[in-house]
Amino acid sequence: MATLFVSTLRALVREKALFIWSLIFPLIMATMFMFLFVTIDDMTDYDPVPTGVVADEAWDESPFSGVAAALGEVGDDQLLVLRSFADEEEAREALIAGEVAGVLSVNGEGEPVLAVAPGVKINPTADGDAINRSILESVVATYGRDADLMRAIAEADPRAFADPARLAEAFDGSAVTEEVALTHGAPKQSVRFYYALFAMAALFGAQIAVCAVCWTQPNLSPLGARRALGAIGRTRTLAATLAACWLLSFGCLVVAFLYTRFVVGVDFAGREGWCVVGLAGAALVACALGTALGSLPKIDFGSKTGILTGVVCLLSLFTGLYGEPCMALADTVARDFPLLSSLNPAKAICDVFYSLYYYDGLDVFAGNMVVLGAFAVALFALSALFMRRQRYASL
Amino acid sequence: MDDISTTAPADSATSPAPVAPTAPTAAPAAAADSIVAVDNLVKRYGDVVALDHFNLTIAPGEIFGLLGPNGSGKTTAINCILQLLTFDKGAIRLFGAPMTPTRYDLKRKIGVVPQNVALFDELTVRENIDFFCALYVDDRRERARLVGEAIEFVGLGDYTGFRPRKLSGGLLRRLNIACGIAHKPQLAFFDEPTVAVDPQSRAAILEGIRAMNERGCTVVYTSHYMEEVEEICSRIMIMDRGRAVAVGTNGELKAMVGAGERIMVEVAGLSPAVRERLAALPHVRRVTYSEPELAVQCEQGARNVADVLAVLAAEGCAPGRVYAEPPTLNDVFLEITGKELRD
Ligand SMILES: Nc1ncnc2c1ncn2[C@@H]1O[C@H](COP(=O)(O)OP(=O)(O)OP(=O)(O)O)[C@@H](O)[C@H]1O
Ligand SMILES: [Mg+2]
């Protein structure tokens, strides 16, 4: 049995083609993400935006001035650095000179107005400008929305203002800083992509099992037929083979994980150990998926690899791996078709990581690991249907 | 279960009577003490009847040859016997016990050299042999010794670190053989083991099989090379289209069809009339002529060559080279089935 395990592992390790998808691919993708996500993460790690304010009468009378002042308070979550100008003219000069990213003022109707000067550089990076501008735009837009909400509440249920809890409820989600407080770590947008990447890499690892299962089944290869004539039973053969597959899939994932953690420098909220446990579960699902696919009769290894690639790419679509629009699609599908979403092993693997990142306790993580286990059991059971045969009508 | 799996069968007191190869004239083993007993086996692949009420009895110690043209059912018979294939009808007993896919105790005593080379592409020669040996032998040290012997047996000593991909076709076959017999089985199936093997290696392999047999291993050997089968097999079954058409020793088979020598004469422009006169000779069975080669197939007789030459002389033909070939299994096959064993 030990020899069986070691030999299988050795043969698999030397099958270099297997590592293209299970190892090289995630390493390359992680590296690409590293360069792609520098800006996205900067957005969350922003420096306060230098902002001009036309401090005229209208400004002083508008509640917006209070909001702006609050956002400009010095502290950890300072969003704006306010600089007051006596009139529009002065402010415009500062804007064109690039001293401020935008100018806020309040018009005759008491509505906040944002003035920006495209093409003027303030930050060393061009994208920095765009981000600063969008922060300012979002400040103005959020205020507009909240003001509308306030008006609506005032009309419908004036007493609500007396109850701060109900007000907070009404405004839940509108403030940028609120989300931060709820999570285990300080969340970065990009981390989702790495989770989706791990899920994809893990499922690609199924190829290892597809290959190894082919070596064990009489109807799939002459080698499988030959092995069936030996004095070792099918169950023991499969157990040793799958153990080797799992170890190798897991090993590939751990290498990709270590690379992501220490070379790419992705933050896993200090839960690296649990992440590795999650990877072990992901490798198990991959093994099971590979076994199920590998055991299908009458399809050759090349076609199975093709099928696997297609399926994994499709499943990864719903983890949002391919970019923001896709992330939005993933969220929509998860919300509107929860059942469909819950049948996606790639999603299940992502969820394991989310649960480590976003929740303080480990309950949700444990629950998600159970889900992975269920996937593995279901897939192994499916494979058993094809691998139960001891004798074949033809080879 | 006895411990024969890890010892040479000849050393084992518990193995079923390892005996010297049966004498050429030995009668077929009675089913009771046979090592392989196949009774009325029928195997169909869809509409194709691959084995048609096939019977086979092999006594311990034999080198039994299954001889038949492509598609005659040799491989199918072996795969049914070893329970790799389902079959429609029949019974199979090995070592006196009914064979099933899970009789690992029986499988442990059996070695198989399959027709299709079955190896790990990514393991070296030594690792491959060790892997297959490990399907039968658990003890590592014991296995190291067996693997070494198997490497020597097939003469792959210079190639132990090679991957199968780097071996020539013949060396690959030899590796395939080593993987099948490293555990010193009591019963070994060789399915066309010498395809693509050069004459020297082939001689070495046949010699090795004989040596295994002398140590007590019963051998089932399939081939469509009749020379090989004639050379090493103590008993031969000739198969055609899933049926056993004849069984016996080499001599018995030839005697059975009364085949004598074939007289070959080089002679130009032979007329049909002369061929008719030759065919009319008492011991002549068949005359074929393809200019300038005349072949006269005779029954056993003392005066065949003289008679043929006398006819040619009387007709005024001047023969060139003249020689006589002893009867072969091909003649036997031809006699029984009406077609050549070899195309
Ligand atoms: N998997 C299969 N499906 C359908 N028919 C098959 C299959 N395998 C073999 N056959 C048919 O069964 C018959 C016996 O084939 P088998 O391989 O046993 O012959 P063989 O004597 O071993 O031939 P060879 O000398 O070419 O190895 C042939 O007619 C063959 O076409
Ligand atoms: Mg064959």
Side-chain angles (χ1 to χ4, degrees):
Chain A
M1 187 95 165
T3 314
L4 205 60
F5 172 77
V6 172
S7 299
T8 308
L9 193 59
R10 192 183 278 151
L12 285 171
V13 166
R14 291 182 191 163
E15 200 73 53
K16 292 186 195 63
L18 291 179
F19 294 95
I20 296 175
W21 287 115
S22 340
L23 186 62
I24 311 290
F25 165 78
L27 293 185
I28 291 177
M29 289 290 278
T31 311
M32 274 172 53
F33 282 176
M34 174 165 69
F35 291 110
L36 273 173
F37 292 145
V38 169
T39 49
I40 293 193
D41 287 339
D42 277 357
M43 205 166 103
T44 2
D45 271 354
Y46 42 69
D47 292 327
V49 184
T51 311
V53 166
V54 183
D56 52 15
E57 226 166 275
W59 176 265
D60 290 337
E61 279 170 16
S62 161
F64 184 64
S65 63
V67 172
L71 293 174
E73 257 169 42
V74 179
D76 267 353
D77 52 0
Q78 182 182 4
L79 191 62
L80 310 175
V81 179
L82 297 181
R83 194 170 145 197
S84 298
F85 297 98
D87 56 33
E88 262 181 57
E89 194 55 38
E90 251 180 69
R92 186 181 297 124
E93 274 167 28
L95 182 62
I96 291 168
E99 290 162 22
V100 292
V103 173
L104 295 172
S105 57
V106 174
N107 65 11
E109 275 102 63
E111 286 162 358
V113 175
L114 171 68
V116 292
V120 177
K121 292 236 170 283
I122 328 170
N123 253 347
T125 62
D127 284 348
D129 279 356
I131 291 165
N132 281 344
R133 259 171 229 136
S134 56
I135 288 174
L136 289 178
E137 274 159 16
S138 112
V139 165
V140 174
T142 307
Y143 173 79
R145 205 171 57 226
D146 288 353
D148 288 346
L149 186 62
M150 294 271 248
R151 256 192 302 279
I153 294 172
E155 276 167 25
D157 184 12
R159 278 166 304 168
F161 288 104
D163 182 354
R166 282 175 68 186
L167 262 192
E169 207 177 300
F171 285 94
D172 195 13
S174 69
V176 190
T177 48
E178 228 159 9
E179 196 180 5
V180 181
L182 287 172
T183 56
H184 178 74
K188 291 192 174 189
Q189 278 300 311
S190 63
V191 101
R192 286 189 71 179
F193 287 91
Y194 289 99
Y195 293 158
L197 175 61
F198 286 144
M200 191 187 213
L203 294 185
F204 272 136
Q207 202 189 13
I208 295 171
V210 172
C211 179
V213 162
C214 173
W215 294 340
T216 63
Q217 298 303 101
N219 57 336
L220 299 178
S221 66
L223 179 58
R226 171 67 187 85
R227 290 173 73 175
L229 301 176
I232 293 185
R234 192 71 67 83
T235 317
R236 284 174 69 195
T237 301
L238 278 173
T241 301
L242 293 180
C245 291
W246 175 83
L247 188 63
L248 198 57
S249 305
F250 179 52
C252 288
L253 286 176
V254 168
V255 170
F257 178 77
L258 292 178
Y259 179 83
T260 309
R261 173 68 189 83
F262 294 107
V263 179
V264 179
V266 173
D267 166 38
F268 290 99
R271 284 193 166 159
E272 283 75 6
W274 287 112
C275 283
V276 172
V277 174
L279 291 175
L284 187 67
V285 172
C287 243
L289 179 67
T291 308
L293 186 59
S295 64
L296 295 181
K298 295 196 176 82
I299 305 175
D300 64 27
F301 178 67
S303 313
K304 283 176 182 167
T305 305
I307 294 173
L308 179 67
T309 311
V311 167
V312 173
C313 288
L314 180 69
L315 294 181
S316 293
L317 177 67
F318 302 104
T319 61
L321 181 64
Y322 314 122
E324 289 291 0
C326 207
M327 211 49 108
L329 172 74
D331 291 340
T332 312
V333 171
R335 195 173 52 241
D336 298 346
F337 305 97
L339 183 68
L340 201 65
S341 180
S342 64
L343 287 175
N344 181 353
K347 188 79 176 58
I349 294 171
C350 280
D351 286 347
V352 165
F353 290 105
Y354 288 164
S355 61
L356 286 176
Y357 198 77
Y358 290 110
Y359 292 88
D360 272 327
L362 287 172
D363 301 359
V364 183
F365 169 72
N368 285 330
M369 286 297 280
V370 170
V371 171
L372 289 194
F375 267 107
V377 169
L379 288 165
F380 279 131
L382 186 69
S383 337
L385 292 181
F386 297 106
M387 300 203 293
R388 254 183 346 176
R389 300 199 127 260
Q390 294 277 6
R391 293 188 297 181
Y392 297 81
S394 77
L395 291 177
Chain B
M1 204 198 70
D2 50 27
D3 66 343
I4 28 83
S5 57
T6 53
T7 53
D11 306 337
S12 169
T14 52
S15 62
V19 295
T22 44
T25 50
D33 55 356
S34 60
I35 193 164
V36 177
V38 177
D39 184 35
N40 266 320
L41 190 61
V42 176
K43 167 68 189 170
R44 291 193 194 89
Y45 293 109
D47 292 338
V48 179
V49 182
L51 292 173
D52 185 4
H53 295 89
F54 176 79
N55 291 290
L56 175 65
T57 314
I58 300 174
E62 286 194 274
I63 299 185
F64 190 90
L66 277 176
L67 180 68
N70 292 140
S72 54
K74 305 182 292 293
T75 302
T76 302
I78 292 181
N79 285 343
C80 287
I81 292 171
L82 296 172
Q83 305 292 315
L84 210 45
L85 289 173
T86 55
F87 42 88
D88 301 271
K89 212 180 128 189
I92 291 162
R93 299 174 75 85
L94 295 182
F95 299 94
M99 182 63 178
T100 69
T102 49
R103 282 303 296 265
Y104 300 117
D105 55 334
L106 299 184
K107 286 184 171 182
R108 205 173 274 279
K109 304 192 251 184
I110 299 172
V112 186
V113 177
Q115 181 172 8
N116 293 323
V117 174
L119 300 165
F120 282 96
D121 292 337
E122 299 301 332
L123 297 185
T124 65
V125 165
R126 183 183 290 278
E127 287 163 353
N128 261 299
I129 301 174
D130 185 58
F131 176 86
F132 285 100
C133 196
L135 296 181
Y136 308 91
V137 180
D138 289 331
D139 184 69
R140 287 182 65 138
R141 288 183 50 200
E142 170 73 2
R143 214 162 59 223
R145 186 178 66 75
L146 291 171
V147 169
E149 284 179 24
I151 289 172
E152 202 176 319
F153 178 82
V154 294
L156 282 175
D158 294 338
Y159 303 94
T160 50
F162 279 52
R163 305 271 170 88
R165 204 181 308 117
K166 299 242 170 91
L167 298 178
S168 71
L171 294 176
L172 202 59
R173 285 273 155 193
R174 294 205 235 162
L175 173 57
N176 198 36
I177 293 172
C179 291
I181 52 91
H183 61 291
K184 299 244 166 91
Q186 292 179 39
L187 170 63
F189 291 84
F190 290 84
D191 196 354
E192 311 208 15
T194 55
V195 175
V197 175
D198 65 36
Q200 293 101 304
S201 315
R202 178 176 301 189
I205 288 169
L206 294 184
E207 192 42 55
I209 290 174
R210 238 193 306 256
M212 279 176 66
N213 177 250
E214 267 153 31
R215 282 196 306 244
C217 177
T218 306
V219 174
V220 181
Y221 190 97
T222 88
S223 180
H224 51 253
Y225 293 120
M226 52 201 172
E227 300 85 353
E228 282 184 0
V229 172
E230 274 185 63
E231 188 184 334
I232 64 164
C233 295
S234 52
R235 245 166 19 103
I236 298 162
M237 169 181 282
I238 298 183
M239 290 184 69
D240 185 40
R241 299 186 200 188
R243 310 190 73 123
V245 293
V247 197
T249 63
N250 190 5
E252 283 169 351
L253 287 173
K254 288 170 187 171
M256 189 185 301
V257 296
E261 75 265 68
R262 185 210 309 256
I263 300 164
M264 308 294 292
V265 184
E266 262 178 30
V267 53
L270 203 64
S271 69
V274 180
R275 278 184 261 163
E276 269 167 39
R277 274 206 60 189
L278 285 171
L281 285 170
H283 290 290
V284 170
R285 297 186 151 193
R286 203 169 23 248
V287 176
T288 49
Y289 183 61
S290 75
E291 176 105 41
E293 190 103 297
L294 170 70
V296 183
Q297 180 64 52
C298 303
E299 284 168 17
Q300 284 159 337
R303 292 185 39 83
N304 291 340
V305 178
D307 287 350
V308 168
L309 290 180
V311 168
L312 291 176
E315 295 289 334
C317 302
R321 234 152 51 88
V322 178
Y323 58 95
E325 286 175 340
T328 64
L329 290 174
N330 188 38
D331 299 319
V332 176
F333 190 77
L334 185 66
E335 197 62 44
I336 298 173
T337 66
K339 44 183 197 191
E340 301 262 346
L341 184 54
R342 223 180 235 173
D343 305 314

